[in-house]
Each structure stands twice: as C-alpha cells, then as structure tokens.
Amino acid sequence: MLATISETGRGALTDMRSLLSVLREDSPREFTTTPGLGDLGALIDRMGDSGLDVTFTETGTPREVSDGLGLSVYRIVQESLTNVLKHAGPSAHAEVTLDWRPDRLVVETVDDGRGAAALVEARPGGQGLTGIDEWARLHGGTAVSGPRARDGGGYRVRVTVPA
C-alpha cells in the first residue's frame, strides 16, 4: 500500500517538474507519457495489487475528450483512491464510476470505509481534496466530497465536468 502511494506521488511530481521546466525553460525536461482515461484500468489494477478492493464501472457512451481533461480525470481518480488507501481503513471497498451523460461526465469514487471518522484522524495540511476541486474547476466543473450518511458510512468524491 505504501509503495503504491509513493509511486503515485513520484509520478505526479515528475509530471509537475516537466510542466515547470517547460514554463521556465531553465532545466532539462523529463517527459513521460501523460496518463488519461485509457490508463484508468491500469491505475485501478495497481491499486488492487496494493490490497485495495476496487471496482470500475463506466455507463453511458464514452467520448473522446481533450488530453487535459483526460489527465484531470485520471488525477482525480488517482487522488480519490489514494485517499481511500490512506483513510478508509482495512477491508474497505471502493467503487469508481464514470457516468457519460449527454453534456457532462460524472466521475464518482465511493468507499465503505470509516467516512467521517477518517476526517477526524487525518493529519492537517493534506491537499488531496483541494487538488481534486482545482482539477474540476480547471475544466468548468465542480467537485463535492464528504462522508456518506447512509449505507454504512464511507466517503464519496463526486466530480462533474462538461464533456
């Protein structure tokens, strides 16, 4: 589990360094393939290999999206699942859903873990949910997250973006 969290963080930092080097043009660039919607299956498999029970469902008719939106959705799911690993507790199950609607894409990650209790125990200073909100707003979307009040607890992250 810690290896997956570490690998996820390193990948995000490499992407950020590449972006910053392009903007500054004062250091050599490291290029990696930018992840997108097509990489969600591999991400979910890696999370499963780290011990997280996770399912993935896609509803509606998938469409081509910009590379930027694909990367944002990937990072939203990645951060959401990393939060499940960190905070949901042992034996938690997560469900990731991409719901393609006529004018938007709804990305939802729901777990059955500790929910509100995880918020109390979380260390201050975390930027995960803030980052999810920023990824959504970058594309004119919204992000809502919080404990699930029904169905035995857990936590939900729901992002809606125009598509």
Side-chain angles (χ1 to χ4, degrees):
M1 175 169 68
L2 290 176
T4 300
I5 293 169
S6 178
E7 177 184 323
T8 299
R10 277 194 300 277
L13 284 172
T14 298
D15 292 343
M16 185 59 68
R17 285 186 195 109
S18 296
L19 176 61
L20 290 173
S21 73
V22 168
L23 295 173
R24 289 192 316 235
E25 295 204 34
D26 65 350
S27 62
R29 299 177 190 165
E30 289 180 55
F31 290 103
T32 60
T33 303
T34 302
L37 295 178
D39 299 299
L40 287 175
L43 171 65
I44 288 168
D45 287 346
R46 278 196 313 276
M47 292 293 181
D49 291 344
S50 69
L52 179 62
D53 179 25
V54 58
T55 57
F56 176 66
T57 305
E58 195 166 13
T59 61
T61 304
R63 297 184 289 286
E64 289 289 321
V65 298
S66 69
D67 289 343
L69 180 56
L71 172 63
S72 294
V73 170
Y74 181 91
R75 292 294 183 218
I76 288 165
V77 172
Q78 183 180 46
E79 184 61 40
S80 297
L81 291 176
T82 300
N83 285 344
V84 174
L85 280 171
K86 288 180 181 177
H87 304 296
S91 304
H93 171 76
E95 298 176 22
V96 175
T97 304
L98 296 186
D99 183 11
W100 294 92
R101 298 187 183 174
D103 61 342
R104 63 192 180 276
L105 172 61
V106 178
V107 181
E108 188 171 67
T109 303
V110 178
D111 71 70
D112 61 1
R114 296 181 293 170
L119 293 176
V120 173
E121 295 175 15
R123 287 178 279 155
Q127 298 297 311
L129 294 176
T130 301
I132 288 171
D133 184 59
E134 290 170 351
W135 283 113
R137 287 188 297 128
L138 179 65
H139 299 282
T142 59
V144 178
S145 59
R148 294 171 53 198
R150 57 182 166 79
D151 300 329
Y155 202 82
R156 175 185 322 261
V157 174
R158 182 182 177 97
V159 173
T160 304
V161 290

